[in-house]
Amino acid sequence: MLGWRLVWALSLNLMLASLSPAQDAESARGHAVFVAGRSDKALGVYRSALTHQNLEARYDLGLAYQQLGQHRKAARTFEDLLSLHPDYAKAHLPLGVSYYRLKKYQRAHDQLELAGAVETDRALVSYYKGLVAFYLGKYEEAPPKLLRALTLAPELERTARYYSGIAYYKRGLLEEAREEFVAVKDLAPDTELSRLADDYLERVERKERGIKPWSLVATVGVQFDDNVVLAPTDAVLAAQIARKADTRYLGLLRGGYEFLRTDRWIFDGAYQFYQNLHQTLREFDVQNHSAQLSTAHIRPWVQARLRYGFDYALLAEEPYFLVHTVNPTATWPLGGASSVQLQYRYQAKTFMDTLRIPTNSERTGSSHLAGLSASRAYAAGAGGFRGGYTYETETTDGPAWQSDAHQVTAGLDLPPLWTVRLSLTGEYLIRQYSNPDPLSPTGERRRDDALTGTATLSRPVVKHLDIGIQYLYNRNRSDLATFDFERNVGSVFLTSRW
């Protein structure tokens, strides 16, 4: 709970200030130990005083349980006290607090109503009434109570304004919500509470700009490829290298939806459809269906995300492969606009034999990948550069396809110049196969060194529509001539984003 240490300190001082001076010697000794910060030792003193039916000792015992975070025992102690002495009115407030900590919000509400009739201190009563109203979904009632509490006890202002801001946000009162979150940032700079307020300020901005929880991207384009290659998994079959040039037309449609976003959690999903059609080499036509579900847990110092992906592809209208992917990542901000990401990826792959590739199923298997990458944005986020390294090991049904791979990547995005964006990427991959290749006349193991580079220029045409051109260079050096190739691909495409 936010502000727990601060609120507890205030609660404890106010509650202890109300203790009767008529406590007996045993209870007084427990109180002295309690105030000294030895709640655990005070428990024994208070328990021994209970044999004398000392009301103050029972009350202090409940407070000691609260300070130790044992709210069930604290609630039971205050319940017993009130059952024995219903007129012991000052027990209603700590009992309400314990119910609140136990998420028994309706019971907390009832006790706080009783406490409000007798408590001389109105700050804590108003504060907890506001929090209980918030968690009961009574967003209209919460801010007045919380804001009244901060006028009586300024120590409560940070958390009172934070929850008031959320309540306003839930009601769609964006301007009021913004005022509260800005106040939190001013009151508690460089704290977790300030970062949480930043998250809500971003949500306020998104709502004001009409940002929807869904996204839609559609791309159509034409490519000229001087050496058509089918390489969906970084490893190619000899039958998948055409050694011929062709023009192809492509289309991509991707939809995403954010099911839930809170200050700590994101749940979202996406589906993507891809199709290319070659002008001449129709046996290289690919259709791909991809679905993804992911969840992310966000803390100020790390964002942890878990993705599940499903891919199904057809080659020349025949089933080609099916892949299940599990991909957890952890991203750490390094301050400013820099971050570091650690990832693991597991894939279970099923390849199907086709008329053109009757031994395709030999590639069925699984792979494990681990990687580390870093990125840094500059020019207020308009540009950035990134780099990374991954290691992958793959086991397959056909021994010739088992391999280990090392890959390094780099990328640079330049800030727009006259609305034109330039993006550069580079990849270098070394894949060493574990067993002799059946296509090798000497029975040697295959090794591929693949270099890939792309340069992309894009600019907006009208709202929601960009035009782009791209050049891709791919050079795969293999110790088996069958797999050695070079290719150049030029693309022109239109992309619409919503």
Side-chain angles (χ1 to χ4, degrees):
M1 180 66 193
L2 294 168
W4 160 246
R5 295 178 183 272
L6 174 65
V7 174
W8 171 254
L10 182 62
S11 305
L12 182 59
N13 290 336
L14 293 170
M15 291 176 185
L16 290 178
S18 65
L19 289 173
S20 168
Q23 298 175 68
D24 62 16
E26 194 72 12
S27 183
R29 185 165 69 88
H31 177 42
V33 176
F34 185 57
V35 173
R38 293 294 308 279
S39 305
D40 51 348
K41 186 175 180 180
L43 290 177
V45 179
Y46 291 141
R47 288 195 191 101
S48 65
L50 293 182
T51 59
H52 307 294
Q53 294 298 307
N54 187 317
L55 302 185
E56 296 296 344
R58 192 177 296 273
Y59 178 80
D60 292 347
L61 177 63
L63 295 183
Y65 279 133
Q66 277 193 333
Q67 189 177 33
L68 291 171
Q70 300 178 26
H71 296 293
R72 293 188 186 281
K73 291 183 178 180
R76 194 176 303 118
T77 301
F78 293 124
E79 288 169 349
D80 292 344
L81 176 57
L82 287 168
S83 67
L84 292 170
H85 300 277
D87 57 345
Y88 199 84
K90 69 178 181 180
H92 291 301
L93 175 56
L95 178 55
V97 173
S98 289
Y99 282 150
Y100 168 76
R101 298 292 174 191
L102 294 170
K103 299 183 180 180
K104 298 179 179 179
Y105 299 122
Q106 190 55 55
R107 291 189 183 184
H109 171 271
D110 297 341
Q111 291 298 319
L112 292 169
E113 287 296 319
L114 294 171
V118 296
E119 279 291 332
T120 55
D121 175 71
R122 303 296 181 186
L124 280 179
V125 175
S126 293
Y127 178 76
Y128 280 106
K129 278 186 175 182
L131 291 178
V132 167
F134 175 87
Y135 281 103
L136 287 174
K138 300 177 180 179
Y139 300 122
E140 292 185 12
E141 298 180 15
K145 293 179 171 64
L146 290 167
L147 297 177
R148 182 170 183 268
L150 71 85
T151 63
L152 298 171
E155 300 92 333
L156 300 172
E157 185 170 6
R158 293 181 297 176
T159 50
R161 287 195 177 278
Y162 176 74
Y163 282 101
S164 295
I166 300 177
Y168 286 136
Y169 176 82
K170 296 281 189 181
R171 294 172 57 197
L173 302 176
L174 301 183
E175 188 57 42
E176 291 83 347
R178 178 189 288 104
E179 290 179 5
E180 299 303 325
F181 293 131
V182 169
V184 171
K185 287 172 57 63
D186 291 339
L187 291 165
D190 301 321
T191 64
E192 180 181 4
L193 198 61
S194 176
R195 288 185 284 270
L196 293 173
D198 268 331
D199 290 340
Y200 269 101
L201 284 170
E202 181 181 344
R203 292 196 208 181
V204 169
E205 183 180 351
R206 285 165 60 93
K207 274 201 170 184
E208 287 181 331
R209 295 194 329 229
I211 296 179
K212 300 177 177 61
W214 55 267
S215 62
L216 186 64
V217 178
T219 297
V220 293
V222 59
Q223 294 181 325
F224 178 77
D225 189 339
D226 69 358
N227 184 9
V228 175
V229 170
L230 178 66
T233 59
D234 297 326
V236 296
L237 291 162
Q240 295 171 303
I241 306 173
R243 314 288 182 183
K244 296 178 181 179
D246 200 3
T247 299
R248 62 175 162 264
Y249 308 94
L250 61 88
L252 179 146
L253 181 65
R254 178 182 176 85
Y257 192 82
E258 193 171 81
F259 302 106
L260 176 68
R261 175 183 282 269
T262 70
D263 52 1
R264 296 283 177 88
W265 290 96
I266 299 174
F267 294 93
D268 55 25
Y271 168 76
Q272 178 175 294
F273 171 82
Y274 169 83
Q275 175 76 63
N276 68 35
L277 298 170
H278 289 79
Q279 188 168 296
T280 304
L281 301 171
R282 300 305 301 271
E283 65 270 24
F284 283 85
D285 290 353
V286 171
Q287 183 181 111
N288 193 85
H289 302 265
S290 300
Q292 176 182 291
L293 290 173
S294 72
T295 179
H297 184 58
I298 304 169
R299 300 304 298 264
W301 58 92
V302 66
Q303 175 175 307
R305 181 176 284 273
L306 177 63
R307 295 182 179 90
Y308 165 74
F310 173 83
D311 290 87
Y312 177 67
L314 294 93
L315 173 62
E317 300 184 350
E318 290 187 272
Y320 180 62
F321 71 68
L322 185 153
V323 179
H324 296 274
T325 301
V326 178
N327 180 209
T329 62
T331 305
W332 291 271
L334 299 181
S338 302
S339 66
V340 170
Q341 183 180 91
L342 181 67
Q343 71 157 319
Y344 166 76
R345 188 189 73 191
Y346 170 78
Q347 289 188 318
K349 308 174 185 179
T350 301
F351 285 82
M352 295 83 160
D353 294 335
T354 69
L355 290 175
R356 180 175 174 79
I357 313 174
T359 61
N360 197 39
S361 59
E362 293 181 2
R363 300 174 66 183
T364 294
S366 61
S367 66
H368 301 267
L369 177 147
L372 182 67
S373 60
S375 64
R376 180 174 179 81
Y378 64 96
F385 51 87
R386 57 201 177 277
Y389 165 80
T390 61
Y391 168 75
E392 181 183 26
T393 181
E394 185 168 10
T395 58
T396 59
D397 290 350
W401 292 101
Q402 296 184 18
S403 65
D404 295 289
H406 303 267
Q407 184 179 50
V408 292
T409 61
L412 174 65
D413 299 314
L414 297 179
L417 179 63
W418 296 305
T419 73
V420 176
R421 291 180 175 274
L422 172 62
S423 178
L424 304 171
T425 65
E427 300 176 2
Y428 184 68
L429 172 76
I430 299 175
R431 185 176 292 276
Q432 179 66 62
Y433 291 85
S434 305
N435 299 299
D437 194 286
L439 296 178
S440 170
T442 60
E444 62 183 308
R445 294 186 302 164
R446 171 182 160 196
R447 168 176 163 150
D448 290 351
D449 290 27
L451 174 66
T452 304
T454 64
T456 307
L457 286 169
S458 63
R459 60 156 295 172
V461 180
V462 293
K463 186 178 181 181
H464 302 303
L465 183 64
D466 293 353
I467 187 171
I469 59 173
Q470 183 185 81
Y471 169 72
L472 177 145
Y473 174 77
N474 183 207
R475 177 72 173 98
N476 188 73
R477 297 182 183 275
S478 179
D479 45 17
L480 295 181
T482 306
F483 300 99
D484 194 278
F485 66 86
E486 183 178 25
R487 64 196 291 237
N488 299 271
V489 182
S491 307
V492 179
F493 54 88
L494 290 171
T495 299
S496 179
R497 293 183 175 86
W498 297 84

